[in-house]
Amino acid sequence: MASPDLVVRIGGEGGEGVISCGEILAKAVARGGLNIHAFRTFPAEIRGGLAVFQLRASHGPTRSLKQDLDVLCAFNQEAYDTYVDIIKDDGALCYDPELCTPDERLKGKSSFEMPLDAISREVTEGTRAKNMVAVGAMIRLFDIPLELAQNAVAEWFDAKGDKVVAMNQKAAEAGWHHSDEHFKPLHRSFERHPERDQILVTGNEAAALGALAAGVQFVPGYPITPATPIFEFLCKELPKFGGQAIQFEDEIATLAAGIGASFAGKRVLTATSGPGLSLMSETLNLASMAECPLVIVNVMRGGPSTGLPTKTEQSDLKFAIYGTSGESPRCIMAPFDIYDCFWQVIRAFDIAEKYQMPVILLTDQALAYTSMNIPRPELGVFEPVKRLAPPLDTEREGFQRYANTESGVSPMPIPGQHDLPYMGTGLEHSETGAPNYTPDNHEMMTAKRFRKLKTLGKHIVQEPSEEVEPEGAEIGVIGWGSTYGAIREAIEMLDEQDGVKVAHLHPRILSPLHEWRIRRFLGPLRKLIVPEENYTGQYAHFLKGKFGIKPIEVHKCRGMPFSAEELYRAIKEEL
Ligand code: COA
């Protein structure tokens, strides 16, 4: 049975403090010993528009965004109008009668009147802290001690000074008392584990922690939503580990600096989003051609152009694989969830260094801005995979930096450590690195560079979490990236509610394809469904091209992630 969970969505105008309210609530609930999945989405403007925070809490796994709400906390009419229809039949509305008027759409569902503005005015002489009144009220509903919320309030507003902290704690307390007097906690038989050694992080933070664990030494960057928090985090933390993060004038300069540092032997990561990756594309070709290892975390957002900068989409896959002039090999990966962002960044470094090529890790806004509690990671315990170095006694004369080896991987000296000069150039070159434009050489060197991808494809190690093949399943789903949790939960729902077994494959390395494994997975299936958060079905097309199959494509292009319920319905329709 799926574990019971409690899903609360808070909605209000950008600038009203919805996000602060949700962040504080999420911290307190996680510290109260529950697993959480905390998603936020907001407009691109600094003020105005609908800002939303959704908290899902449970003692079981909380792997995806739930669609149906136990509680909608509406700070204004727009939030009510937009989400009233997804309140569950036994769910409730929490609202301020001064700010929102419920109508017949709420019929049959419960509601709590929560005078946010009035309580805030009464205890703080203003309405700025109304969001903290909501924090107090919600904490009471979750049956979490007020003290945990008060600590989280103090941490959240610490930089704004003691007065702001005190004002907000007062408001939270008042909200708690109002809730205590008027409403009962929502009855849930949660098992709580407040003593766990866990941290609450977003996907962006987990990726940045992964970079530190992987021994990143240089992070060139240029800010872009929704990837900026990775750069900000590393600007602050990397110097403590002896590395450097530097902002450049644009994405082209950023990657060029990264290639220089990689050439000099440093472990390099940069983070960007679709428009930034476009600007990096030519420099990325140079990294492939000069065979310089580096990791790019591309946090996908709605596109094209400036598109939906604060919303999610899985629409950079084709560009990541094919967005090259000429043919330049690179590895494309995608993590499943927040914790996986940590692990896959470490793995991306290993692949980049081992195969001397750029690795693009595709996360997205939904992962980047969702937080979950994860076990506290240890940073200093990983033995980094090192790039293949020539023996120290290698002769200078005739040294072949780009030796045409069986695996395609050639020894890469580090300037200063090896007395072995070589040219790393965008021009086609011979095995020594010297420019060479002869037809035979170009064919040989192109094949050598692509052979590294083949070698990598043969050595992909499948992790158990990537595949579920229940006996007798004739329907299968292949997904990628952040849709993992929603697909898994949808498949569990099909099993529990309909007795239907569905197989699931979710490769973390998208290109090169893990060919034999995908063929084996496809073997017994009668139908294959490929859900993606884009308009055109980019991964489905990639699979079609490679395996000649005709999957059923399920697309979502609305700036929001799939929910398990949506996928459950989509798969069921295909039964
Ligand atoms: N007491 C004091 N200050 C409070 C408060 C309270 N009770 N509640 C909120 N605030 C402050 C917050 O600390 C924050 O201050 P800051 O601007 O100094 O950080 C501010 O009010 C906004 O509150 P917050 O809860 O963070 O956000 P919100 O729910 O009101 O929504 C956003 C505002 C997030 C939508 C907006 O600020 C934003 O970032 N938009 C996206 C911009 C973007 O990335 N565009 C893309 C460019 S390509």
Side-chain angles (χ1 to χ4, degrees):
M1 259 308 269
S3 62
D5 39 26
L6 193 52
V7 180
V8 174
R9 183 172 286 193
I10 307 154
E13 188 171 303
E16 275 191 309
V18 165
I19 303 298
S20 300
C21 171
E23 298 282 358
I24 290 167
L25 199 58
K27 263 193 188 195
V29 172
R31 286 177 184 167
L34 294 176
N35 294 327
I36 65 156
H37 177 283
F39 172 78
R40 34 192 92 47
T41 178
F42 39 76
E45 290 73 26
I46 298 294
R47 294 286 178 266
L50 187 58
V52 173
F53 193 101
Q54 178 161 318
L55 179 65
R56 174 182 178 190
S58 174
H59 58 252
T62 47
R63 289 189 290 222
S64 70
L65 183 75
K66 278 271 181 171
Q67 181 165 292
D68 302 332
L69 309 179
D70 291 297
V71 178
L72 170 65
C73 181
F75 281 17
N76 63 15
Q77 192 68 35
E78 187 183 2
Y80 170 82
D81 289 336
T82 312
Y83 300 122
V84 61
D85 291 335
I86 56 170
I87 301 175
K88 287 180 187 167
D89 290 343
D90 59 351
L93 169 75
C94 174
Y95 73 107
D96 182 336
E98 272 184 50
L99 307 171
C100 160
T101 313
D103 57 11
E104 69 286 348
R105 289 175 291 173
L106 194 67
K107 215 171 153 199
K109 300 170 187 174
S110 320
S111 60
F112 310 129
E113 276 192 24
M114 190 72 217
L116 302 172
D117 269 5
I119 294 178
S120 175
R121 269 197 304 267
E122 192 184 314
V123 296
T124 72
E125 295 170 358
T127 57
R128 175 73 278 200
K130 72 175 190 185
N131 54 345
M132 295 303 116
V133 176
V135 165
M138 296 285 152
I139 280 294
R140 178 71 189 112
L141 290 184
F142 274 98
D143 209 10
I144 299 279
L146 175 64
E147 189 196 349
L148 292 179
Q150 297 297 45
N151 293 344
V153 170
E155 287 165 27
W156 189 254
F157 292 114
D158 182 42
K160 297 200 177 212
D162 293 346
K163 249 177 126 176
V164 175
V165 169
M167 167 187 89
N168 283 300
Q169 286 182 328
K170 248 178 154 179
E173 190 176 346
W176 192 92
H177 284 300
H178 181 90
S179 185
D180 189 43
E181 272 166 38
H182 296 91
F183 326 122
K184 284 192 196 132
L186 297 165
H187 294 294
R188 304 283 160 170
S189 47
F190 287 142
E191 291 161 28
R192 296 162 201 254
H193 302 281
E195 69 292 341
R196 302 177 298 192
D197 189 19
Q198 299 210 329
I199 56 168
L200 184 63
V201 286
T202 61
N204 272 341
E205 288 161 346
L209 283 168
L212 292 176
V216 67
Q217 293 164 303
F218 182 56
V219 178
Y222 187 77
I224 181 166
T225 301
T228 306
I230 298 180
F231 185 54
E232 287 175 331
F233 186 100
L234 289 169
C235 282
K236 209 165 126 213
E237 301 300 326
L238 186 54
K240 298 178 193 164
F241 292 76
Q244 265 191 312
I246 299 178
Q247 181 173 334
F248 288 84
E249 65 266 35
D250 57 29
E251 282 88 349
I252 302 173
T254 295
L255 204 61
I259 292 173
S262 170
F263 180 83
K266 300 293 179 203
R267 292 166 80 80
V268 178
L269 172 137
T270 187
T272 190
S273 187
L277 189 66
S278 308
L279 288 172
M280 286 179 181
S281 65
E282 181 41 30
T283 329
L284 196 54
N285 288 340
L286 174 59
S288 288
M289 189 63 151
E291 303 194 36
C292 285
L294 46 87
V295 176
I296 298 174
V297 179
N298 183 61
V299 187
M300 295 179 288
R301 62 189 214 181
S305 185
T306 32
L308 307 174
T310 56
K311 306 285 176 190
T312 201
E313 205 161 270
Q314 293 183 305
S315 51
D316 294 344
L317 177 65
K318 275 193 181 168
F319 187 79
I321 301 173
Y322 299 119
T324 82
S325 58
E327 294 173 303
S328 61
R330 72 272 302 261
C331 169
I332 314 299
M333 299 174 61
F336 288 2
D337 59 22
I338 310 304
Y339 197 22
D340 207 35
C341 287
F342 174 78
W343 292 110
Q344 297 315 312
V345 166
I346 298 174
R347 193 170 176 210
F349 267 100
D350 286 351
I351 291 173
E353 295 290 325
K354 189 166 176 188
Y355 296 95
Q356 298 173 21
M357 66 169 69
V359 176
I360 302 175
L361 187 75
L362 295 174
T363 73
D364 54 44
Q365 184 274 341
L367 280 184
Y369 280 80
T370 294
S371 44
M372 288 178 82
N373 47 312
I374 64 168
R376 184 183 299 279
E378 284 189 72
L379 299 186
V381 296
F382 299 96
E383 189 56 49
V385 167
K386 296 204 174 83
R387 55 188 83 162
L388 181 69
L392 284 170
D393 58 359
T394 305
E395 295 282 329
R396 279 175 69 97
E397 201 56 39
F399 167 65
Q400 294 191 321
R401 154 67 182 115
Y402 296 106
N404 185 19
T405 61
E406 205 181 319
S407 65
V409 180
S410 327
M412 184 173 185
I414 294 175
Q417 277 181 25
H418 301 86
D419 185 19
L420 296 169
Y422 78 93
M423 254 197 292
T425 167
L427 286 173
E428 185 56 283
H429 41 265
S430 69
E431 289 175 89
T432 64
N436 183 321
Y437 320 126
T438 61
D440 284 351
N441 181 72
H442 180 52
E443 194 169 52
M444 177 183 83
M445 294 308 279
T446 305
K448 170 216 161 352
R449 288 187 289 271
F450 272 92
R451 204 174 313 123
K452 293 189 293 180
L453 268 190
K454 263 204 174 139
T455 310
L456 166 59
K458 276 190 215 149
H459 289 95
I460 294 175
V461 178
Q462 176 184 327
E463 295 174 41
S465 54
E466 292 180 27
E467 191 167 352
V468 176
E469 278 183 293
E471 234 185 274
E474 293 187 331
I475 295 191
V477 178
I478 299 188
W480 64 281
S482 64
T483 54
Y484 179 79
I487 295 177
R488 251 322 132 84
E489 288 183 351
I491 286 176
E492 281 167 13
M493 285 160 78
L494 282 156
D495 188 10
E496 283 163 17
Q497 296 175 24
D498 307 279
V500 175
K501 306 279 180 214
V502 176
H504 178 199
L505 181 68
H506 214 93
R508 287 182 167 95
I509 296 184
L510 304 176
S511 176
L513 281 163
H514 200 179
E515 281 192 46
W516 68 264
R517 195 176 119 218
I518 297 179
R519 280 188 208 288
R520 201 200 58 196
F521 178 80
L522 294 174
L525 299 182
R526 207 164 39 80
K527 277 186 183 178
L528 175 70
I529 300 170
V530 182
E532 292 179 77
E533 288 161 7
N534 56 45
Y535 185 72
T536 53
Q538 301 192 8
Y539 193 49
H541 291 186
F542 190 46
L543 294 173
K544 265 187 202 173
K546 195 76 199 174
F547 301 104
I549 51 172
K550 283 197 184 145
I552 296 158
E553 299 177 24
V554 177
H555 306 157
K556 181 171 182 181
C557 161
R558 300 171 60 81
M560 287 287 281
F562 276 120
S563 66
E565 294 94 332
E566 273 173 314
L567 286 174
Y568 166 78
R569 283 193 292 268
I571 301 171
K572 209 171 159 187
E573 230 168 70
E574 296 305 333
L575 300 178

